[in-house]
mmCIF file of all heavy atoms in Angstrom:
data_model
loop_
_atom_site.group_PDB
_atom_site.id
_atom_site.type_symbol
_atom_site.label_atom_id
_atom_site.label_comp_id
_atom_site.label_asym_id
_atom_site.label_seq_id
_atom_site.Cartn_x
_atom_site.Cartn_y
_atom_site.Cartn_z
ATOM 1 N N PRO A 3 6.187 2.671 -2.000
ATOM 2 C CA PRO A 3 5.186 2.195 -2.965
ATOM 3 C C PRO A 3 5.693 2.217 -4.410
ATOM 4 O O PRO A 3 5.467 1.265 -5.166
ATOM 5 C CB PRO A 3 4.015 3.165 -2.756
ATOM 6 C CG PRO A 3 4.116 3.541 -1.312
ATOM 7 C CD PRO A 3 5.598 3.662 -1.054
ATOM 8 N N LYS A 4 6.374 3.296 -4.812
ATOM 9 C CA LYS A 4 6.897 3.377 -6.185
ATOM 10 C C LYS A 4 8.003 2.355 -6.400
ATOM 11 O O LYS A 4 8.048 1.668 -7.434
ATOM 12 C CB LYS A 4 7.417 4.786 -6.477
ATOM 13 C CG LYS A 4 7.858 4.961 -7.937
ATOM 14 C CD LYS A 4 8.149 6.393 -8.259
ATOM 15 C CE LYS A 4 8.450 6.572 -9.750
ATOM 16 N NZ LYS A 4 7.287 6.282 -10.602
ATOM 17 N N MET A 5 8.905 2.231 -5.428
ATOM 18 C CA MET A 5 10.033 1.307 -5.575
ATOM 19 C C MET A 5 9.594 -0.149 -5.628
ATOM 20 O O MET A 5 10.288 -0.994 -6.197
ATOM 21 C CB MET A 5 11.020 1.498 -4.420
ATOM 22 C CG MET A 5 11.784 2.795 -4.487
ATOM 23 S SD MET A 5 12.964 2.930 -3.136
ATOM 24 C CE MET A 5 13.758 4.482 -3.564
ATOM 25 N N MET A 6 8.445 -0.452 -5.026
ATOM 26 C CA MET A 6 7.944 -1.828 -5.039
ATOM 27 C C MET A 6 6.912 -2.058 -6.142
ATOM 28 O O MET A 6 6.296 -3.127 -6.213
ATOM 29 C CB MET A 6 7.323 -2.168 -3.675
ATOM 30 C CG MET A 6 8.264 -2.022 -2.500
ATOM 31 S SD MET A 6 9.757 -3.021 -2.620
ATOM 32 C CE MET A 6 9.130 -4.651 -2.224
ATOM 33 N N GLY A 7 6.705 -1.036 -7.008
ATOM 34 C CA GLY A 7 5.760 -1.184 -8.111
ATOM 35 C C GLY A 7 4.317 -1.207 -7.654
ATOM 36 O O GLY A 7 3.460 -1.845 -8.282
ATOM 37 N N LEU A 8 3.999 -0.468 -6.565
ATOM 38 C CA LEU A 8 2.668 -0.521 -5.968
ATOM 39 C C LEU A 8 1.947 0.824 -5.965
ATOM 40 O O LEU A 8 0.979 1.000 -5.223
ATOM 41 C CB LEU A 8 2.768 -1.048 -4.518
ATOM 42 C CG LEU A 8 3.346 -2.457 -4.348
ATOM 43 C CD1 LEU A 8 3.547 -2.764 -2.874
ATOM 44 C CD2 LEU A 8 2.436 -3.497 -5.002
ATOM 45 N N GLU A 9 2.420 1.775 -6.752
ATOM 46 C CA GLU A 9 1.762 3.091 -6.794
ATOM 47 C C GLU A 9 0.299 2.947 -7.205
ATOM 48 O O GLU A 9 -0.032 2.188 -8.120
ATOM 49 C CB GLU A 9 2.493 4.015 -7.780
ATOM 50 C CG GLU A 9 3.453 4.948 -7.106
ATOM 51 C CD GLU A 9 3.937 6.044 -8.038
ATOM 52 O OE1 GLU A 9 4.116 5.784 -9.232
ATOM 53 O OE2 GLU A 9 4.143 7.168 -7.558
ATOM 54 N N GLY A 10 -0.583 3.674 -6.501
ATOM 55 C CA GLY A 10 -1.999 3.624 -6.818
ATOM 56 C C GLY A 10 -2.771 2.569 -6.058
ATOM 57 O O GLY A 10 -4.005 2.535 -6.094
ATOM 58 N N GLU A 11 -2.051 1.684 -5.347
ATOM 59 C CA GLU A 11 -2.728 0.650 -4.545
ATOM 60 C C GLU A 11 -3.339 1.281 -3.290
ATOM 61 O O GLU A 11 -2.860 2.303 -2.799
ATOM 62 C CB GLU A 11 -1.742 -0.443 -4.139
ATOM 63 C CG GLU A 11 -1.176 -1.235 -5.303
ATOM 64 C CD GLU A 11 -2.186 -2.184 -5.895
ATOM 65 O OE1 GLU A 11 -3.201 -2.473 -5.230
ATOM 66 O OE2 GLU A 11 -1.971 -2.632 -7.035
ATOM 67 N N GLN A 12 -4.370 0.649 -2.767
ATOM 68 C CA GLN A 12 -5.062 1.141 -1.578
ATOM 69 C C GLN A 12 -5.016 0.085 -0.476
ATOM 70 O O GLN A 12 -4.935 -1.112 -0.761
ATOM 71 C CB GLN A 12 -6.524 1.468 -1.902
ATOM 72 C CG GLN A 12 -6.707 2.557 -2.948
ATOM 73 C CD GLN A 12 -6.274 3.931 -2.457
ATOM 74 O OE1 GLN A 12 -6.580 4.323 -1.336
ATOM 75 N NE2 GLN A 12 -5.558 4.672 -3.299
ATOM 76 N N VAL A 13 -5.095 0.548 0.766
ATOM 77 C CA VAL A 13 -5.144 -0.361 1.908
ATOM 78 C C VAL A 13 -6.569 -0.868 2.076
ATOM 79 O O VAL A 13 -7.534 -0.104 1.966
ATOM 80 C CB VAL A 13 -4.688 0.372 3.197
ATOM 81 C CG1 VAL A 13 -4.905 -0.509 4.425
ATOM 82 C CG2 VAL A 13 -3.224 0.761 3.090
ATOM 83 N N HIS A 14 -6.703 -2.160 2.337
ATOM 84 C CA HIS A 14 -8.027 -2.760 2.535
ATOM 85 C C HIS A 14 -8.221 -3.137 3.997
ATOM 86 O O HIS A 14 -7.292 -3.602 4.654
ATOM 87 C CB HIS A 14 -8.199 -3.991 1.640
ATOM 88 C CG HIS A 14 -8.122 -3.677 0.184
ATOM 89 N ND1 HIS A 14 -9.145 -3.051 -0.493
ATOM 90 C CD2 HIS A 14 -7.128 -3.878 -0.720
ATOM 91 C CE1 HIS A 14 -8.796 -2.897 -1.757
ATOM 92 N NE2 HIS A 14 -7.571 -3.384 -1.916
ATOM 93 N N GLN A 15 -9.418 -2.918 4.482
ATOM 94 C CA GLN A 15 -9.768 -3.214 5.871
ATOM 95 C C GLN A 15 -10.455 -4.580 5.916
ATOM 96 O O GLN A 15 -11.299 -4.888 5.080
ATOM 97 C CB GLN A 15 -10.722 -2.143 6.412
ATOM 98 C CG GLN A 15 -11.018 -2.254 7.889
ATOM 99 C CD GLN A 15 -10.024 -1.478 8.733
ATOM 100 O OE1 GLN A 15 -9.438 -0.521 8.256
ATOM 101 N NE2 GLN A 15 -9.833 -1.893 9.962
ATOM 102 N N SER A 16 -10.046 -5.389 6.893
ATOM 103 C CA SER A 16 -10.715 -6.672 7.099
ATOM 104 C C SER A 16 -11.069 -6.790 8.576
ATOM 105 O O SER A 16 -10.761 -5.915 9.377
ATOM 106 C CB SER A 16 -9.797 -7.826 6.676
ATOM 107 O OG SER A 16 -8.698 -7.928 7.564
ATOM 108 N N GLY A 17 -11.695 -7.898 8.933
ATOM 109 C CA GLY A 17 -12.081 -8.089 10.327
ATOM 110 C C GLY A 17 -10.909 -8.154 11.265
ATOM 111 O O GLY A 17 -11.022 -7.840 12.453
ATOM 112 N N SER A 18 -9.727 -8.540 10.717
ATOM 113 C CA SER A 18 -8.529 -8.657 11.554
ATOM 114 C C SER A 18 -7.626 -7.429 11.474
ATOM 115 O O SER A 18 -6.531 -7.413 12.029
ATOM 116 C CB SER A 18 -7.731 -9.898 11.155
ATOM 117 O OG SER A 18 -7.418 -9.860 9.775
ATOM 118 N N GLY A 19 -8.082 -6.365 10.778
ATOM 119 C CA GLY A 19 -7.287 -5.132 10.688
ATOM 120 C C GLY A 19 -6.983 -4.754 9.253
ATOM 121 O O GLY A 19 -7.613 -5.247 8.312
ATOM 122 N N TRP A 20 -6.011 -3.856 9.087
ATOM 123 C CA TRP A 20 -5.585 -3.471 7.740
ATOM 124 C C TRP A 20 -4.820 -4.621 7.104
ATOM 125 O O TRP A 20 -4.011 -5.276 7.755
ATOM 126 C CB TRP A 20 -4.661 -2.249 7.799
ATOM 127 C CG TRP A 20 -5.355 -0.962 8.081
ATOM 128 C CD1 TRP A 20 -6.695 -0.728 8.087
ATOM 129 C CD2 TRP A 20 -4.731 0.298 8.383
ATOM 130 N NE1 TRP A 20 -6.946 0.590 8.370
ATOM 131 C CE2 TRP A 20 -5.758 1.243 8.563
ATOM 132 C CE3 TRP A 20 -3.424 0.712 8.523
ATOM 133 C CZ2 TRP A 20 -5.508 2.575 8.876
ATOM 134 C CZ3 TRP A 20 -3.155 2.034 8.832
ATOM 135 C CH2 TRP A 20 -4.192 2.957 9.006
ATOM 136 N N SER A 21 -5.041 -4.827 5.820
ATOM 137 C CA SER A 21 -4.291 -5.857 5.090
ATOM 138 C C SER A 21 -3.130 -5.202 4.351
ATOM 139 O O SER A 21 -3.330 -4.192 3.670
ATOM 140 C CB SER A 21 -5.193 -6.570 4.077
ATOM 141 O OG SER A 21 -6.248 -7.228 4.736
ATOM 142 N N PRO A 22 -1.913 -5.748 4.458
ATOM 143 C CA PRO A 22 -0.798 -5.195 3.680
ATOM 144 C C PRO A 22 -1.065 -5.335 2.184
ATOM 145 O O PRO A 22 -1.901 -6.157 1.766
ATOM 146 C CB PRO A 22 0.400 -6.071 4.099
ATOM 147 C CG PRO A 22 -0.034 -6.793 5.331
ATOM 148 C CD PRO A 22 -1.508 -6.914 5.262
ATOM 149 N N VAL A 23 -0.369 -4.549 1.388
ATOM 150 C CA VAL A 23 -0.432 -4.684 -0.066
ATOM 151 C C VAL A 23 0.686 -5.645 -0.475
ATOM 152 O O VAL A 23 1.838 -5.456 -0.079
ATOM 153 C CB VAL A 23 -0.255 -3.318 -0.757
ATOM 154 C CG1 VAL A 23 -0.310 -3.475 -2.272
ATOM 155 C CG2 VAL A 23 -1.341 -2.346 -0.296
ATOM 156 N N TYR A 24 0.362 -6.663 -1.252
ATOM 157 C CA TYR A 24 1.335 -7.720 -1.544
ATOM 158 C C TYR A 24 1.977 -7.547 -2.919
ATOM 159 O O TYR A 24 1.298 -7.334 -3.921
ATOM 160 C CB TYR A 24 0.679 -9.097 -1.442
ATOM 161 C CG TYR A 24 0.481 -9.513 0.006
ATOM 162 C CD1 TYR A 24 -0.689 -9.178 0.685
ATOM 163 C CD2 TYR A 24 1.486 -10.178 0.697
ATOM 164 C CE1 TYR A 24 -0.852 -9.525 2.024
ATOM 165 C CE2 TYR A 24 1.330 -10.526 2.028
ATOM 166 C CZ TYR A 24 0.157 -10.202 2.686
ATOM 167 O OH TYR A 24 0.000 -10.527 4.018
ATOM 168 N N VAL A 25 3.322 -7.643 -2.922
ATOM 169 C CA VAL A 25 4.089 -7.657 -4.170
ATOM 170 C C VAL A 25 4.111 -9.090 -4.696
ATOM 171 O O VAL A 25 3.897 -9.361 -5.870
ATOM 172 C CB VAL A 25 5.544 -7.180 -3.929
ATOM 173 C CG1 VAL A 25 6.320 -7.127 -5.243
ATOM 174 C CG2 VAL A 25 5.565 -5.836 -3.248
ATOM 175 N N GLU A 26 4.443 -10.000 -3.803
ATOM 176 C CA GLU A 26 4.384 -11.441 -4.049
ATOM 177 C C GLU A 26 3.578 -12.050 -2.911
ATOM 178 O O GLU A 26 3.270 -11.371 -1.927
ATOM 179 C CB GLU A 26 5.809 -12.036 -4.063
ATOM 180 C CG GLU A 26 6.789 -11.360 -4.995
ATOM 181 C CD GLU A 26 6.551 -11.703 -6.454
ATOM 182 O OE1 GLU A 26 5.753 -12.640 -6.711
ATOM 183 O OE2 GLU A 26 7.135 -11.049 -7.328
ATOM 184 N N GLU A 27 3.295 -13.334 -3.027
ATOM 185 C CA GLU A 27 2.522 -13.993 -1.973
ATOM 186 C C GLU A 27 3.230 -13.928 -0.629
ATOM 187 O O GLU A 27 2.589 -13.937 0.417
ATOM 188 C CB GLU A 27 2.247 -15.454 -2.352
ATOM 189 C CG GLU A 27 1.162 -15.609 -3.414
ATOM 190 C CD GLU A 27 0.796 -17.057 -3.639
ATOM 191 O OE1 GLU A 27 1.240 -17.922 -2.849
ATOM 192 O OE2 GLU A 27 0.070 -17.326 -4.607
ATOM 193 N N ASN A 28 4.566 -13.865 -0.673
ATOM 194 C CA ASN A 28 5.332 -13.868 0.583
ATOM 195 C C ASN A 28 6.013 -12.527 0.859
ATOM 196 O O ASN A 28 6.965 -12.464 1.636
ATOM 197 C CB ASN A 28 6.382 -14.988 0.568
ATOM 198 C CG ASN A 28 7.476 -14.756 -0.471
ATOM 199 O OD1 ASN A 28 7.233 -14.150 -1.515
ATOM 200 N ND2 ASN A 28 8.674 -15.234 -0.190
ATOM 201 N N LEU A 29 5.534 -11.446 0.226
ATOM 202 C CA LEU A 29 6.123 -10.122 0.449
ATOM 203 C C LEU A 29 5.022 -9.066 0.528
ATOM 204 O O LEU A 29 4.436 -8.683 -0.497
ATOM 205 C CB LEU A 29 7.124 -9.782 -0.665
ATOM 206 C CG LEU A 29 7.753 -8.375 -0.646
ATOM 207 C CD1 LEU A 29 8.373 -8.062 0.714
ATOM 208 C CD2 LEU A 29 8.809 -8.247 -1.744
ATOM 209 N N GLY A 30 4.716 -8.623 1.758
ATOM 210 C CA GLY A 30 3.689 -7.613 1.983
ATOM 211 C C GLY A 30 4.289 -6.266 2.342
ATOM 212 O O GLY A 30 5.363 -6.201 2.949
ATOM 213 N N VAL A 31 3.608 -5.186 1.974
ATOM 214 C CA VAL A 31 4.116 -3.821 2.166
ATOM 215 C C VAL A 31 3.032 -2.947 2.792
ATOM 216 O O VAL A 31 1.842 -3.077 2.466
ATOM 217 C CB VAL A 31 4.542 -3.199 0.803
ATOM 218 C CG1 VAL A 31 5.089 -1.786 1.000
ATOM 219 C CG2 VAL A 31 5.570 -4.080 0.106
ATOM 220 N N MET A 32 3.453 -2.040 3.699
ATOM 221 C CA MET A 32 2.540 -1.033 4.243
ATOM 222 C C MET A 32 3.253 0.317 4.244
ATOM 223 O O MET A 32 4.423 0.410 4.630
ATOM 224 C CB MET A 32 2.098 -1.404 5.648
ATOM 225 C CG MET A 32 1.114 -0.425 6.272
ATOM 226 S SD MET A 32 -0.377 -0.139 5.282
ATOM 227 C CE MET A 32 -1.174 -1.740 5.408
ATOM 228 N N SER A 33 2.524 1.361 3.812
ATOM 229 C CA SER A 33 3.104 2.700 3.725
ATOM 230 C C SER A 33 1.989 3.727 3.789
ATOM 231 O O SER A 33 0.851 3.456 3.369
ATOM 232 C CB SER A 33 3.875 2.855 2.408
ATOM 233 O OG SER A 33 4.233 4.203 2.174
ATOM 234 N N VAL A 34 2.317 4.920 4.294
ATOM 235 C CA VAL A 34 1.348 6.014 4.267
ATOM 236 C C VAL A 34 1.003 6.390 2.825
ATOM 237 O O VAL A 34 -0.057 6.948 2.553
ATOM 238 C CB VAL A 34 1.891 7.244 5.043
ATOM 239 C CG1 VAL A 34 3.027 7.914 4.293
ATOM 240 C CG2 VAL A 34 0.780 8.257 5.316
ATOM 241 N N GLY A 35 1.884 6.033 1.882
ATOM 242 C CA GLY A 35 1.623 6.308 0.470
ATOM 243 C C GLY A 35 0.344 5.664 -0.026
ATOM 244 O O GLY A 35 -0.293 6.172 -0.953
ATOM 245 N N PHE A 36 -0.064 4.547 0.606
ATOM 246 C CA PHE A 36 -1.293 3.868 0.205
ATOM 247 C C PHE A 36 -2.541 4.586 0.722
ATOM 248 O O PHE A 36 -3.648 4.267 0.311
ATOM 249 C CB PHE A 36 -1.307 2.425 0.721
ATOM 250 C CG PHE A 36 -0.174 1.575 0.207
ATOM 251 C CD1 PHE A 36 0.469 0.671 1.046
ATOM 252 C CD2 PHE A 36 0.250 1.662 -1.107
ATOM 253 C CE1 PHE A 36 1.504 -0.108 0.588
ATOM 254 C CE2 PHE A 36 1.290 0.878 -1.588
ATOM 255 C CZ PHE A 36 1.923 -0.011 -0.737
ATOM 256 N N LEU A 37 -2.336 5.527 1.650
ATOM 257 C CA LEU A 37 -3.464 6.235 2.256
ATOM 258 C C LEU A 37 -3.709 7.595 1.602
ATOM 259 O O LEU A 37 -4.662 8.287 1.948
ATOM 260 C CB LEU A 37 -3.220 6.433 3.755
ATOM 261 C CG LEU A 37 -2.900 5.170 4.564
ATOM 262 C CD1 LEU A 37 -2.590 5.532 6.008
ATOM 263 C CD2 LEU A 37 -4.043 4.174 4.492
ATOM 264 N N LEU A 38 -2.833 7.998 0.676
ATOM 265 C CA LEU A 38 -2.949 9.307 0.030
ATOM 266 C C LEU A 38 -3.751 9.190 -1.257
ATOM 267 O O LEU A 38 -3.690 8.183 -1.963
ATOM 268 C CB LEU A 38 -1.556 9.866 -0.279
ATOM 269 C CG LEU A 38 -0.587 9.990 0.911
ATOM 270 C CD1 LEU A 38 0.767 10.494 0.431
ATOM 271 C CD2 LEU A 38 -1.157 10.926 1.962
ATOM 272 N N SER A 39 -4.491 10.239 -1.591
ATOM 273 C CA SER A 39 -5.296 10.220 -2.816
ATOM 274 C C SER A 39 -4.425 10.362 -4.062
ATOM 275 O O SER A 39 -4.801 9.949 -5.148
ATOM 276 C CB SER A 39 -6.339 11.338 -2.788
ATOM 277 O OG SER A 39 -5.708 12.602 -2.611
ATOM 278 N N SER A 40 -3.226 10.949 -3.901
ATOM 279 C CA SER A 40 -2.306 11.123 -5.028
ATOM 280 C C SER A 40 -0.867 11.028 -4.510
ATOM 281 O O SER A 40 -0.576 11.475 -3.395
ATOM 282 C CB SER A 40 -2.513 12.496 -5.678
ATOM 283 O OG SER A 40 -1.398 12.859 -6.468
ATOM 284 N N PRO A 41 0.066 10.469 -5.308
ATOM 285 C CA PRO A 41 1.472 10.411 -4.895
ATOM 286 C C PRO A 41 2.085 11.795 -4.673
ATOM 287 O O PRO A 41 3.108 11.926 -4.007
ATOM 288 C CB PRO A 41 2.173 9.696 -6.055
ATOM 289 C CG PRO A 41 1.090 9.018 -6.817
ATOM 290 C CD PRO A 41 -0.154 9.829 -6.615
ATOM 291 N N ASP A 42 1.444 12.829 -5.238
ATOM 292 C CA ASP A 42 1.971 14.198 -5.114
ATOM 293 C C ASP A 42 1.454 14.915 -3.866
ATOM 294 O O ASP A 42 1.865 16.044 -3.586
ATOM 295 C CB ASP A 42 1.596 15.019 -6.352
ATOM 296 C CG ASP A 42 2.206 14.454 -7.626
ATOM 297 O OD1 ASP A 42 3.291 13.846 -7.532
ATOM 298 O OD2 ASP A 42 1.593 14.607 -8.700
ATOM 299 N N ASP A 43 0.536 14.280 -3.122
ATOM 300 C CA ASP A 43 0.000 14.912 -1.914
ATOM 301 C C ASP A 43 1.091 15.055 -0.853
ATOM 302 O O ASP A 43 1.846 14.111 -0.594
ATOM 303 C CB ASP A 43 -1.153 14.076 -1.330
ATOM 304 C CG ASP A 43 -2.439 14.251 -2.112
ATOM 305 O OD1 ASP A 43 -2.450 15.088 -3.032
ATOM 306 O OD2 ASP A 43 -3.418 13.541 -1.802
ATOM 307 N N ALA A 44 1.164 16.227 -0.237
ATOM 308 C CA ALA A 44 2.118 16.451 0.851
ATOM 309 C C ALA A 44 1.501 16.028 2.183
ATOM 310 O O ALA A 44 0.322 16.286 2.434
ATOM 311 C CB ALA A 44 2.512 17.927 0.918
ATOM 312 N N VAL A 45 2.297 15.364 3.009
ATOM 313 C CA VAL A 45 1.859 15.006 4.363
ATOM 314 C C VAL A 45 2.438 16.058 5.306
ATOM 315 O O VAL A 45 3.646 16.086 5.556
ATOM 316 C CB VAL A 45 2.349 13.593 4.750
ATOM 317 C CG1 VAL A 45 1.901 13.253 6.162
ATOM 318 C CG2 VAL A 45 1.820 12.573 3.757
#
């Protein structure tokens, strides 16, 4: 998430499932980092 400039983004739920977080229209990203309340949270 940090390397792609997406820190603080959240995953959105739709009827077809989780939606990736998009950097560009043709580049989507998924990470557990999007599910944490803070980047400093330990998993």
Side-chain angles (χ1 to χ4, degrees):
K4 185 171 186 66
M5 289 182 176
M6 302 302 284
L8 299 173
E9 262 192 324
E11 295 287 343
Q12 298 292 316
V13 173
H14 298 286
Q15 187 89 26
S16 68
S18 56
W20 285 349
S21 298
V23 179
Y24 284 89
V25 183
E26 307 285 349
E27 285 187 10
N28 67 329
L29 175 53
V31 181
M32 182 55 68
S33 169
V34 71
F36 300 140
L37 306 176
L38 304 177
S39 57
S40 162
D42 298 330
D43 283 355
V45 179

